[in-house]
Structure formats: structure tokens, C-alpha cells
Amino acid sequence: MEEKRKAALLLGEASVGKLMFHFAVPSIIAMLVGSIYNIVDQFFIGHYVGILGNSATNVAFPLTTCCLALALMFGIGGASAFNLAMGRGDRELAPHYVGVSLTALLTSGVLLGLVTLMFMDPMLRLFGAPADVMPYAREYVSITALGFPALILTTGGGHLMRADGSPQMTMLCSISGAAINVVLDGLFVAVFGMGMKGAALATILGQLFSAGQVIWYFSCRFRTVPLKKEHLRPDFAKLGKVTSLGAAICFNQLTFLLVQVVMNNSLRHYGALSVYGPSIPLAAVGIVMKVNQLFFGIIIGIGQASQPIVSYNYGAQKYDRVRKAFRIAFTAGAVISVVTFALFQLFPRQLLGLFGDGSEAYFECGEKFFRIFLLLVFTIFTQPIISSYFTSVGKPIKGIFLSLTRQVLFLVPLMVILPLIWGFDGLLWASLVADGASCLVALLMAAHEFRGMRRLEASGHGGVEADA
């Protein structure tokens, strides 16, 4: 019991900088390793299957985004509810949030896998698959869909383990599964020549191993408060709290899904009218966006590292510690974003070349998207980190709104309108306006939030504000 009490008090008393480092390193590694599943498949498919195989993984990627949306909603939502309850000292209620989250993670994974298998072809066509890419996408998704429950449980369970004060275990689960994926990808694709089927099998076997570790942890090692079987029973009131707190990050992922669908269909349509054709843009932009996902995974990892610190101290009314955790996350995100901008501008061809050869048109297309579409990549860290903050302090409406700004309010309409004027190149310039506008909105909302926090302190009111 003393060890459990220390784990809870750590969030409220230890150095915020040391806590951020303690949570950030495993969190970032876990997010990067999660992205590596797709990157590794892309690497082996690009070298041993070709451009059509790479196009297929791009078409299938919205399904991975669906998995992440569910995992983050129940994982981060459950973690935030758990830490807020612990910060208030409600040790009896806190484990119920973890239990209902675990049940929701596994159930949603099973349902998504079944829906995908039942409606695979219509979904792949919706995601922009041309006729020559469809067989590759179908072969890949028919296997990876079987691993959706394991993927969702591992990703969401990792956030719950982090809330329990075990970020290293989250990292271990991710790394072990990714290592298995890398080894089996090389064996199945490069050695046995199994193509798309081999890459898919390697992916789900790694995911199943990671999911087994997550199940073991919550069965035997959960440490902050006792976790019992009755905590796993469905409770719609508690699930509603979890869902509301995780809705912002879920909507953020769903907006990525919307962008992917609009982007893929626009690439297919306007690509066919350009010198590139319909398949080259799908393959090249798929690489660009997945490389960008590695960067974005670091940013999300930083935001998630601040979540237990911000949630606990906000619940405990230690607002100085809340502000300090946010400042550290924001500064780290800015530094990473500037470095990423330099890499994308200076070495786009080299980054594309890591994933196999292609025609000059393929490299030209990819370079344009790195240098123009992602020109303001140094600004987009603001949205996920500030949105994560609102989720952590129990203000999901603000988090949801912020998660919708870049993709839904700005980027998707611009991707529809600008190509009508400039054709294929209109897709490239849509991101510039969207990134700049969403960054401005995020900064204004953060400034308003912290002014309100200082007024709260000055008035002597210690309660936790609800969404305004």
C-alpha cells in the first residue's frame, strides 16, 4: 500500500522537469514504435513488391487511423479520468475508469475488425483504391483486420499503464511487438517472398505479442490501486466520462481519417489528370505522410507525457505545476518541429529513397509534398499539445473543437476548393493556410485558458472549472 501511495504522490510532489522526462522518453518511444509498424511494412513492400504495394498500404492506412482513434479515446480518456480521480483522492472510483476502458478497448477492436472484413471492398474504394491497387490492398487488409483488437488494446492499454506510473512498461510492450514485426517482415517478405500477405502476417503477430503483455500487466502488475474483475463490468455512466475526456484526441484522429480519404481520392482524380497518373501520387504521398507521422508521433508522445502530471495536479489544484508541465511540453514540441522542418526541406529525396526506387515522376511528386504541403510543419505542434492539455484538465469540448480546426474547418475545404482552381498543385498549397490558421486558433485558446487559471487563483476559488 505504501508503494501505491508513493506512486500517486510522485505526480504531485516530484520535480516537474524530471517527471516530464520520466514520462516523455517512454511515451515518445512507444509512439514512434507504433508508427514503425507501418513504416517497416512500407520499407519491405517498397523494396520487394513495388509502387502498387506502397499505394495499397496508403489506401489501407485509414483503417489504422480508425484503430488509433478508438485506442486513444478509451486509453487517454480512461487515463485522464483515473488521474483526475486520484488527484481528488477518490481511490475507490479511480479503478472503475481503468476497467471500463479496458473492456471498451477490446470490444471496439473486435467490432471494427468484423465490420472491416464484412465491408472491405466498399471501404477500400471509399479510401481511394484504383483498380490496379485493389488486389494488393485487399490481400493486406484481409489479414491486418484480424489484429485490430490487439492493436487497439495495446495502444490504449499503454496510456492506462502510463497513468499507473509505468511508462517503461508501455515502452516495452511497443518495442517487443515492433521487434517481432521487423524480424518477421524480413523473413516473410524478403526471404520467403510472401509479399503483401507476409507483411500483414508480420504485423499482426507483433501486435498479438504486445497485447499479451498488456493483458498480463493488468492481471498481475497494476499498482496504484487494486484492480479487480468487477471493475471490468460495463458501466455506461463511467464510460461516458471516459469517452468525453478522450473525445478530443479521438476526433483529432478521425479528422486525420477524413483528410486521408479526401486526399487519396483527390490524388487519384487529379493525379490521373496530371503527368503523374493515379497510382504514383498515392505511393509517394503515402510515404510522405507516414514519415510525417513519425514526427507527429513524437509531438503526441510529448503531449501524452504531460497528461498524468497535468491531470493529477489540476485535480489537486496545484496550478503552478500544471503551467510548468505545459511550458515544458510546448517548448519541446517547438524544438522538435523546427528540426523536422529542416529535414523535410533539405533531404526529401533521401527520405523517399529509403522506401525503394521509383521513377523521376515519383520522386518529383514526393519532393513537392515534403517541401510545399509540409512547409509550415514547424507550427502544427501547437494543436495536439494544447488539445491534449484541455483533455487532461477535464475540458473535452474545447479539446474537441481544437482537434477539428486544422483538418475539418480548414484543410478539407481547401483540398476541395483549391484543386478546382489550380488542379493537382492546389492540393499542395491547401496545407499552408490550414496550418497557419489552426496554429493561431490554438495559441489564442491557450492564452485565454491560462489567463482564466490565474483569475481562478487570484479569486481564491479552488474548484475545477468545467467546459465553458
Side-chain angles (χ1 to χ4, degrees):
M1 181 64 71
E2 184 62 28
E3 180 184 352
K4 295 174 180 178
R5 192 174 301 277
K6 282 183 179 180
L9 291 176
L10 182 70
L11 293 171
E13 296 179 358
S15 163
V16 174
K18 290 180 179 178
L19 281 173
M20 280 295 297
F21 184 82
H22 174 74
F23 283 99
V25 172
S27 178
I28 290 169
I29 292 175
M31 289 301 300
L32 288 177
V33 170
S35 299
I36 284 172
Y37 273 103
N38 293 292
I39 293 289
V40 168
D41 281 356
Q42 200 92 55
F43 175 85
F44 283 101
I45 289 170
H47 282 280
Y48 295 96
V49 178
I51 286 180
L52 292 179
N54 271 341
S55 298
T57 59
N58 188 25
V59 167
F61 195 63
L63 290 168
T64 300
T65 304
C66 288
C67 290
L68 290 175
L70 292 168
L72 294 175
M73 178 168 67
F74 297 125
I76 291 181
S80 296
F82 173 78
N83 286 131
L84 284 167
M86 290 298 296
R88 294 191 301 268
D90 196 340
R91 298 172 61 85
E92 182 176 344
L93 177 62
H96 285 279
Y97 290 126
V98 174
V100 297
S101 298
L102 289 170
T103 300
L105 288 167
L106 189 58
T107 303
S108 63
V110 172
L111 291 176
L112 180 60
L114 289 174
V115 170
T116 299
L117 292 172
M118 291 172 62
F119 302 102
M120 186 185 308
D121 281 11
M123 292 175 78
L124 293 176
R125 283 193 290 269
L126 174 65
F127 297 157
D132 56 351
V133 173
M134 181 65 82
Y136 295 88
R138 188 185 294 120
E139 184 178 19
Y140 186 74
V141 171
S142 64
I143 296 174
T144 55
L146 300 175
F148 287 172
L151 173 58
I152 292 174
L153 180 61
T154 299
T155 305
H159 297 290
L160 297 171
M161 288 189 286
R162 189 178 299 112
D164 188 43
S166 299
Q168 293 88 353
M169 189 63 195
T170 301
M171 179 178 66
L172 177 62
C173 290
S174 299
I175 289 177
S176 59
I180 290 172
N181 182 35
V182 171
V183 172
L184 294 182
D185 257 326
L187 187 64
F188 293 163
V189 181
V191 178
F192 295 155
M194 295 173 64
M196 303 298 292
K197 183 182 294 184
L201 283 172
T203 296
I204 68 167
L205 289 174
Q207 291 167 350
L208 288 170
F209 185 82
S210 295
Q213 291 178 294
V214 171
I215 292 170
W216 170 81
Y217 180 88
F218 286 103
S219 300
C220 309
R221 301 289 295 175
F222 196 79
R223 64 181 188 172
T224 305
V225 289
L227 187 63
K228 302 175 182 178
K229 289 183 179 178
E230 54 262 33
H231 295 143
L232 300 171
R233 293 172 187 162
D235 185 316
F236 291 107
K238 296 179 178 65
L239 183 62
K241 174 71 171 178
V242 168
T243 302
S244 70
L245 291 175
I249 191 68
C250 175
F251 274 104
N252 199 38
Q253 290 296 316
L254 291 178
T255 58
F256 276 122
L257 171 64
L258 178 62
V259 169
Q260 288 163 7
V261 172
V262 174
M263 175 68 78
N264 285 351
N265 283 281
S266 297
L267 289 171
R268 182 181 62 180
H269 176 73
Y270 291 103
L273 301 176
S274 72
V275 297
Y276 303 118
S279 297
I280 284 178
L282 281 172
V285 176
I287 297 294
V288 172
M289 300 311 290
K290 287 181 182 177
V291 171
N292 186 48
Q293 280 292 101
L294 284 176
F295 147 70
F296 211 69
I298 298 174
I299 300 301
I300 291 177
I302 292 171
Q304 290 171 358
S306 67
Q307 178 271 316
I309 305 167
V310 170
S311 291
Y312 185 94
N313 286 285
Y314 197 84
Q317 302 163 21
K318 297 182 177 182
Y319 299 121
D320 282 342
R321 294 174 62 82
V322 172
R323 284 190 291 268
K324 188 168 184 179
F326 176 82
R327 283 197 301 269
I328 293 172
F330 193 87
T331 302
V335 172
I336 295 297
S337 299
V338 170
V339 172
T340 301
F341 166 79
L343 287 174
F344 288 175
Q345 293 299 311
L346 296 175
F347 306 109
R349 182 171 288 252
Q350 291 85 343
L351 291 170
L352 289 164
L354 293 174
F355 300 93
D357 296 326
S359 64
E360 182 59 30
Y362 165 78
F363 282 104
E364 179 186 309
C365 180
E367 285 180 348
K368 280 186 174 182
F369 270 83
F370 267 126
R371 286 185 166 144
I372 301 175
F373 191 83
L374 296 178
L375 181 61
L376 292 185
V377 71
F378 60 87
T379 69
I380 63 176
F381 76 95
T382 55
Q383 186 196 42
I385 286 183
I386 295 172
S387 179
S388 177
Y389 166 83
F390 284 123
T391 297
S392 299
V393 299
K395 299 183 178 182
I397 295 176
K398 292 179 179 178
I400 291 170
F401 171 77
L402 192 53
S403 71
L404 295 175
T405 53
R406 179 182 183 266
Q407 283 85 353
V408 175
L409 297 183
F410 302 128
L411 184 55
V412 169
L414 288 168
M415 285 198 301
V416 172
I417 295 169
L418 294 187
L420 296 175
I421 303 170
W422 292 308
F424 185 82
D425 286 347
L427 293 171
L428 297 169
W429 296 100
S431 182
L432 292 177
V433 178
D435 289 342
S438 62
C439 175
L440 179 61
V441 171
L443 292 175
L444 289 173
M445 289 183 66
H448 180 267
E449 165 69 15
F450 285 103
R451 283 197 299 270
M453 183 184 292
R454 292 192 181 280
R455 287 196 298 268
L456 189 68
E457 289 178 290
S459 69
H461 176 62
V464 176
E465 290 180 302
D467 262 317

